[in-house]
Amino acid sequence: MEIIIFDTAAQLDEYGANYFVNTVKQKSNAVLGLATGSTPIGIYNKLVEKYKQKEVSFSGVTTYNLDEYAGLPEGSDQSYAYYMNQHLFSHIDIASNQTHLPNGNASDLHAACKEYDAMLEKQPIDVQLLGIGHNGHIGFNEPAEGLQGGTHLVELKAETREANARFFSSIDEVPTHAITMGVGSILKAKTVMLVARGADKADIIKEALTGPITTKVPASLLQTHPNVIVLLDREAGRWLA
Ligand code: GLP
């Protein structure tokens, strides 16, 4: 596991974006695993900048997002599909049929999970971008006695709904369920890039990266992956430096 602690957010974003740009330059049909939340926004902004400067083309790239809320109204601006269009897809040259998110509006959510896994099976992820929740969740894989390998429907923990309530007008609007890639699918990515920012992530980062490997801290399972890069700002990395 390679851990890099950056002095500034701009340096972290530049490094993260360059990693993706280099991946796509080396493999024009790369499969990228993408994430939402506030953490990746700076990296997406830089990717858009680099695309506009003609440093990179995404025309051959395929993307799979980690997760999506279940049951939000179609086209909701709180959906992760909306987020991805807003922050990345609508600004770069990627065809919409090459971008994938779990379908949180499917009439049969379990069937939608199976379909997602079948697609991932055919198109293994080259680089998976990941944020981390305060309780150690990755995607929406919440702390539990056991974790599921594949894509599945989850009931969100109260703390996760509270943390994500800042994107909604009230906590009652935060969905109770979501579809997420499983930890097994995440660990199948050839490279995993975990990113965290801010002092509020320092404790969980230390626990996940240096504590025991346990399903109660889903991100700790990344310790078993042979190729993980961790990008942290000074605050998130303060207990590791
Ligand atoms: C959500 C997402 C996660 C994300 C986490 C952290 O729960 N499902 O994929 O990593 O929030 O979000 P933030 O980056 O806003 O701290």
Side-chain angles (χ1 to χ4, degrees):
M1 182 176 292
E2 186 186 2
I3 302 176
I4 312 177
I5 300 176
F6 296 89
D7 285 333
T8 68
Q11 286 169 356
L12 188 161
D13 294 335
E14 181 70 19
Y15 189 97
N18 274 337
Y19 195 92
F20 280 104
V21 167
N22 290 334
T23 301
V24 173
K25 278 185 177 165
Q26 279 161 29
K27 185 178 176 188
S28 59
N29 64 347
V31 182
L32 306 181
L34 300 178
T36 51
S38 47
T39 305
I41 293 176
I43 293 178
Y44 293 152
N45 289 344
K46 284 266 178 211
L47 280 179
V48 171
E49 225 175 276
K50 287 170 189 294
Y51 164 72
K52 288 192 171 150
Q53 288 160 356
K54 301 199 188 315
E55 245 188 81
V56 62
S57 164
F58 295 91
S59 61
V61 166
T62 299
T63 67
Y64 285 92
N65 263 76
L66 279 171
D67 47 14
E68 177 61 285
Y69 288 119
L72 280 178
E74 199 74 51
S76 162
D77 59 8
Q78 312 293 356
S79 72
Y80 287 166
Y82 185 95
Y83 167 110
M84 289 309 302
N85 279 325
Q86 188 195 14
H87 292 292
L88 187 64
F89 297 154
S90 68
H91 307 288
I92 60 173
D93 60 340
I94 191 163
S96 58
N97 64 357
Q98 286 164 221
T99 67
H100 306 88
L101 286 99
N103 181 0
N105 278 315
S107 51
D108 183 340
L109 292 170
H110 295 288
C113 294
K114 284 210 171 113
E115 276 167 35
Y116 208 66
D117 279 342
M119 290 191 287
L120 282 169
E121 199 67 43
K122 283 193 203 137
Q123 293 189 293
I125 291 172
D126 289 298
V127 185
Q128 174 68 58
L129 178 59
L130 276 187
I132 184 170
H134 294 110
N135 61 7
H137 74 234
I138 45 177
F140 273 129
N141 293 279
E142 298 277 30
E145 293 295 328
L147 293 173
Q148 291 194 42
T151 304
H152 58 284
L153 184 65
V154 277
E155 182 170 1
L156 300 178
K157 296 250 184 212
E159 64 228 66
T160 299
R161 293 185 66 232
E162 274 157 32
N164 290 352
R166 66 191 196 276
F167 300 113
F168 292 79
S169 44
S170 83
I171 184 139
D172 300 329
E173 284 181 24
V174 185
T176 54
H177 289 77
I179 293 181
T180 184
M181 269 166 58
V183 172
S185 324
I186 294 169
L187 292 175
K188 276 188 198 156
K190 288 173 202 149
T191 299
V192 176
M193 181 195 287
L194 174 68
V195 183
R197 308 170 193 267
D200 57 314
K201 296 281 173 76
D203 288 347
I204 193 63
I205 278 293
K206 177 156 193 258
E207 202 180 335
L209 304 186
T210 66
I213 298 171
T214 163
T215 60
K216 295 192 175 142
V217 182
S220 69
L221 274 95
L222 296 174
Q223 292 181 44
T224 67
H225 191 286
N227 204 7
V228 177
I229 315 165
V230 186
L231 309 185
L232 305 172
D233 66 7
R234 273 202 177 287
E235 290 74 27
R238 70 208 275 187
W239 307 138
L240 300 179

